Amino acid sequence: MTHQERTSRAVDNTSAAGTRGVLRFLTCGSVDDGKSTLIGRLLYDSKLLFEDQVNTLERDSRKHGTTGEEIDFALLLDGLEAEREQGITIDVAYRFFSTSKRKFVVADTPGHEQYTRNMATGASTADVAVILVDARKGVLTQTLRHTYIARMMGIRHVVLAVNKMDLAGHSSGRFHEIIAAYLKVAEGLGFDSIIPIPMSARYGDNLTRKTDEMSWYTGPTLLEYLEELDVSSSVAAEPFRMPVQWVNRPDLNFRGYSGLIVSGTVQTGDEVVIAASGTVACVEQIVTADGYLDAAEAGQSVTLVLDRELDISRGDVLAASGDRPEVSDQFAAEVLWMSEDHLLPGRSYLLKIGTTTTPASVSALKHKVDINTFDKQPCTKLEVNEIGLCNIACARPVVFDPYHQIRDMGAFILIDRFTNQTVGAGMIRFGLRRASNIHRHAMDVDKATRARIKGQSPAILWFTGLSGAGKSTVANIVERKLTEAGLHTYSLDGDNVRHGLNRDLGFTDVDRVENIRRIGEVAKLFVDAGLIVTCSFISPFRSERQMVRELVDDEEFIEVFVDTPIEVCMERDPKGLYEKARAGEIKNFTGLDSPYEAPVKAELRVDTSELTAEEAADEVIEYLLAREHAK
């Protein structure tokens, strides 16, 4: 076929309507299993490439290709220079094409374990997962990891594409051996269908055409299967949900609430409810950039005008009044962890669900998944690319539906509060409903009253630094001087609380996080009592110190960084801990085999290698007096 004929055919196919609707699928699997080659060959054999694309592909194959004189179809999608140099896919590459039967959106996702987050991104909107397996290597750990993530992300159909059959002698026995190994662990995940297809993506065998080399295979080609698969979306049939993205107020005469409808339909005259508050209103108008509508459905971005003004803002969810979503501050969720820093129960992250962002933490880590067997294993943390079932506690109630019911209402991400990096992706399984049974009781005597009686401003003086820096010594002097001045104080010390409140905790990272979480809650109670409380804790992680800071009002948390060099601390070694740690008698010792994250913007820094403990305490007192004078 000439280039002109190929271009004409591509134009004809692109303009075809596609009678079965849009199918979104992704290719995934381990590194170098042929994902990009499969898509490139599929587009080429389907006559869906334009002349300039073919010319570019031929030129790039000569420069970057790995297939000799033949076209390297992987280069059609491996667009990044780093990918071409390494021969792997790093980013998610999307392609849009259509045949006479349907339209397709295909995502080519990376196979390398380092880029598992990219695979999860591609799977989050896909209907089908085409999971490739190299016929020579068989089922690998990454094959199973991608299978489990596909199930997590709500994908119901899997194509097991056993690729490179030409390098396995087109062996029927090898094909069925791989099928048996895969189904042994994947069948229990509850997919609606798992269809195995033997193929050679490089030569196009069983992609768009059958081959005599594998005449023993009587099933469909990949394209035939994808064209005929019924993935009719039920999103429009689900209850109406629209997270509010912004309040549309161009002038004094118009107020509307804009957002993307993620499920269901809405018509003028329908009753809708603000999910969190339960307030009901009627839809007066449905406004779009193209004008007014009588009705709108999932996938459309609209502005809803209601029959009365309500307190609605970004993050609220408008829902069908007769079928409200859940509202809770605690829920169980599966989490795919994406960061080199471990997920630690008790650590505070930002949770983003829909248009809502709120502080949240893992209150319990129930188990993680053995990715080779899908068995559940007990654990205390999640490492990068591990998957676990967690209980999540949010700082305030959030609106959601379980992920398996409405994807967009049950998916969330976890964000590191300091780097602003996405560190986890989660799918809500069910609400824990604890928020509906527990309510704060309003008290007649509040913090302001208690502080006024004592004639002082309550605060947390948080002393952080390495062991031996002098935190407890300085804090003790500060409390003594404040007491002598007639102020009301209390002291919380790292060693003292481990004799009682925290006697059940060790010194792993997980235990350290929980240690500070408990102390933070206790210190908050002392502040509520109107006291000035000194807290002397190594508290090695910025996240936990920030968590305590956010428990109280602005200016009620004063971080005092006792910034004494580790060499001085080791020389002092008042408790003999450094000596024991270097001898291997103490594990996870901060500063040696466990990290200390120094404060970035502490209110006060003192160095007890340059100041005496009395002088350091005087600097703290002087800071407090200056702060009071400024008020």
Side-chain angles (χ1 to χ4, degrees), residues 27-41:
T27 58
C28 52
S30 193
V31 174
D32 201 31
D33 280 350
K35 298 176 291 297
S36 299
T37 301
L38 182 148
I39 298 175
R41 185 80 203 205

Side-chain angles (χ1 to χ4, degrees), residues 106-128:
V106 54
D108 177 34
T109 62
H112 199 286
E113 186 174 344
Q114 180 182 355
Y115 303 108
T116 298
R117 67 167 61 211
N118 302 58
M119 181 270 164
T121 299
S124 63
T125 58
D127 304 305
V128 184

Side-chain angles (χ1 to χ4, degrees), residues 466-471 473-474 562-579 582 606-613 616:
L466 296 171
S467 177
K471 301 180 299 298
T473 302
V474 175
V562 186
D563 186 13
T564 305
I566 189 171
E567 296 78 14
V568 176
C569 297
M570 294 174 68
E571 183 179 340
R572 291 174 180 170
D573 202 10
K575 304 169 187 175
L577 300 179
Y578 284 99
E579 183 178 351
R582 283 181 292 184
V606 295
D607 182 351
T608 60
S609 67
E610 299 175 352
L611 302 172
T612 66

Side-chain angles (χ1 to χ4, degrees), residues 203-428:
Y203 299 106
D205 296 343
N206 286 337
L207 266 67
T208 61
R209 57 176 176 79
K210 296 290 185 69
T211 172
D212 293 337
E213 300 287 353
M214 289 181 280
S215 57
W216 44 265
Y217 174 70
T218 58
T221 64
L222 176 63
L223 187 59
E224 287 172 346
Y225 173 76
L226 295 177
E227 284 182 327
E228 297 298 328
L229 180 62
D230 183 11
V231 289
S232 301
S233 175
S234 61
V235 176
E238 296 292 342
F240 169 68
R241 304 283 188 265
M242 192 190 84
V244 175
Q245 201 144 24
W246 65 295
V247 179
N248 189 346
R249 192 80 187 278
D251 55 54
L252 294 176
N253 300 316
F254 184 92
R255 181 192 294 269
Y257 307 100
S258 302
L260 173 69
I261 301 175
V262 299
S263 69
T265 60
V266 63
Q267 301 179 19
T268 54
D270 282 355
E271 273 195 348
V272 295
V273 64
I274 306 173
S277 67
T279 306
V280 176
C282 285
V283 177
E284 277 195 343
Q285 294 176 326
I286 302 174
V287 187
T288 70
D290 298 322
Y292 295 89
L293 300 177
D294 293 326
E297 63 179 16
Q300 290 183 279
S301 294
V302 299
T303 295
L304 299 184
V305 179
L306 305 182
D307 64 346
R308 56 197 181 107
E309 291 192 4
L310 298 173
D311 182 15
I312 300 175
S313 59
R314 176 180 170 86
D316 284 321
V317 175
L318 297 178
S321 61
D323 198 340
R324 294 170 59 184
E326 292 191 51
V327 181
S328 179
D329 62 355
Q330 299 190 53
F331 48 79
E334 282 187 296
V335 172
L336 167 63
W337 193 244
M338 302 174 174
S339 173
E340 295 293 340
D341 295 329
H342 301 160
L343 180 151
L344 300 176
R347 172 162 289 176
S348 181
Y349 303 97
L350 291 179
L351 181 144
K352 187 175 188 302
I353 179 169
T355 55
T356 298
T357 302
T358 179
S361 63
V362 174
S363 57
L365 184 51
K366 312 298 284 186
H367 64 254
K368 69 178 181 180
V369 176
D370 182 336
I371 210 62
N372 291 299
T373 63
F374 300 156
D375 291 337
K376 301 172 183 177
Q377 296 181 335
C379 63
T380 57
K381 61 186 177 182
L382 288 183
E383 299 183 5
V384 63
N385 294 331
E386 288 189 328
I387 299 166
L389 179 65
C390 309
N391 287 353
I392 306 287
C394 301
R396 61 187 178 91
V398 297
V399 179
F400 64 89
D401 289 280
Y403 185 82
H404 68 274
Q405 294 178 7
I406 303 177
R407 275 188 179 186
D408 289 287
M409 290 295 295
F412 64 88
I413 58 173
L414 294 173
I415 303 169
D416 184 279
R417 307 190 66 165
F418 285 92
T419 66
N420 208 35
Q421 295 291 311
T422 299
V423 292
M427 296 87 220
I428 298 175

Side-chain angles (χ1 to χ4, degrees), residues 344-347 462-463 471 492-523 535-541 544-545 547-548 551 590:
L344 300 176
R347 172 162 289 176
W462 191 275
F463 294 83
K471 301 180 299 298
L492 294 171
D493 182 79
D495 285 343
N496 293 347
V497 297
R498 285 186 177 270
H499 288 286
L501 177 66
N502 292 345
R503 66 185 304 174
D504 59 320
L505 299 178
F507 292 90
T508 64
D509 286 351
V510 175
D511 285 344
R512 289 179 187 275
V513 170
E514 175 61 13
N515 181 53
I516 300 304
R517 187 195 70 80
R518 293 183 190 178
I519 294 305
E521 293 291 347
V522 172
C535 299
S536 309
F537 296 87
I538 294 174
S539 49
F541 303 125
E544 280 59 67
R545 299 195 298 267
M547 174 188 67
V548 179
L551 288 175
T590 302

Side-chain angles (χ1 to χ4, degrees), residues 17-183:
T19 58
R20 296 191 65 86
V22 177
L23 179 78
R24 300 175 182 271
F25 71 95
L26 81 155
T27 58
C28 52
S30 193
V31 174
D32 201 31
D33 280 350
K35 298 176 291 297
S36 299
T37 301
L38 182 148
I39 298 175
R41 185 80 203 205
L42 183 64
L43 297 176
Y44 183 85
D45 285 354
S46 300
K47 315 300 186 292
L48 297 171
L49 299 181
F50 294 93
E51 181 178 357
D52 60 335
Q53 291 176 299
V54 175
N55 290 337
T56 300
L57 186 58
E58 290 174 343
R59 183 176 64 252
D60 288 350
S61 295
R62 289 191 293 270
K63 181 180 179 181
H64 300 286
T66 60
T67 57
E69 296 299 318
E70 299 176 357
I71 293 177
D72 188 344
F73 294 100
L75 297 180
L76 184 64
L77 282 85
D78 288 347
L80 299 179
E81 189 68 24
E83 294 179 345
R84 294 186 170 185
E85 291 174 354
Q86 299 176 48
I88 63 172
T89 299
I90 296 174
D91 203 357
V92 181
Y94 291 94
R95 286 295 182 271
F96 307 85
F97 67 96
S98 63
T99 67
S100 59
K101 292 188 176 181
R102 94 181 319 160
K103 297 178 181 178
F104 297 92
V105 180
V106 54
D108 177 34
T109 62
H112 199 286
E113 186 174 344
Q114 180 182 355
Y115 303 108
T116 298
R117 67 167 61 211
N118 302 58
M119 181 270 164
T121 299
S124 63
T125 58
D127 304 305
V128 184
V130 179
I131 299 178
L132 279 86
V133 175
D134 188 325
R136 300 166 301 170
K137 302 175 184 176
V139 176
L140 303 176
T141 297
Q142 193 71 337
T143 313
L144 299 177
R145 178 179 284 110
H146 283 189
T147 298
Y148 196 90
I149 294 172
R151 199 277 303 169
M152 278 180 66
M153 295 292 179
I155 293 176
R156 308 306 305 167
H157 304 278
V158 167
V159 175
L160 179 64
V162 183
N163 192 27
K164 303 186 182 182
M165 286 296 294
D166 55 302
L167 300 180
H170 300 100
S171 169
S172 171
R174 179 57 177 161
F175 175 63
H176 287 94
E177 180 183 337
I178 291 172
I179 293 173
Y182 182 80
L183 293 180

